[in-house]
């Protein structure tokens, strides 16, 4: 049975918000990699805001796309080691 669009959109929005709250940069902020980590966080946060806006105007397709893109940016940053994943049960949020 396919997932309900509204349920999936809400789930991905919550997942992105939880993932943003969970990560910690692993690189110094004043290094080139620190700049990359900051840019990834900015992109993920922007996509979260965009998704919330689309949700408010009853556009779940674009909301889901925004949440998914934001999550992809953040997950890629975790995957390449720019962010640490906490060992408090939230590691399931990432593909490490």
């Amino acid at each position: 049975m396919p997932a309900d669009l509204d349920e999936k959109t809400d789930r991905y929005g919550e997942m992105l918000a939880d993932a943003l709250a969970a990560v910690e940069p692993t690189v110094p902020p004043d290094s080139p990699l620190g700049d990359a980590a900051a840019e990834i966080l900015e992109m993920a946060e922007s996509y979260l805001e965009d998704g919330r806006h689309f949700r408010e105007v009853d556009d779940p397709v674009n909301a889901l796309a925004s949440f998914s893109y934001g999550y992809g940016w953040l997950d890629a940053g975790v995957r390449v080691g720019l962010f640490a994943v906490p060992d408090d049960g939230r590691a399931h949020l990432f593909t490490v």
Side-chain angles (χ1 to χ4, degrees):
M1 169 188 270
D4 175 70
L5 179 59
D6 287 327
E7 182 276 327
K8 189 170 191 172
T9 301
D10 291 342
R11 183 166 32 99
Y12 272 64
E14 291 171 15
M15 188 170 66
L16 175 54
D18 290 346
L20 276 164
V23 297
E24 292 290 331
T26 60
V27 293
D30 58 348
S31 71
L33 289 178
D35 290 343
E39 185 175 343
I40 288 172
L41 283 174
E42 182 179 351
M43 292 300 292
E45 290 167 353
S46 294
Y47 276 118
L48 178 62
E49 289 175 24
D50 290 348
R52 287 175 172 166
H53 165 76
F54 287 126
R55 201 70 179 110
E56 287 176 13
V57 298
D58 198 28
D59 185 351
V61 171
N62 282 317
L64 179 57
S66 293
F67 295 146
S68 297
Y69 277 122
Y71 188 81
W73 274 91
L74 196 58
D75 196 44
V78 169
R79 185 80 169 162
V80 299
L82 295 177
F83 303 105
V85 177
D87 190 23
D88 65 357
R90 293 183 285 181
H92 71 280
L93 293 168
F94 304 98
T95 58
V96 291

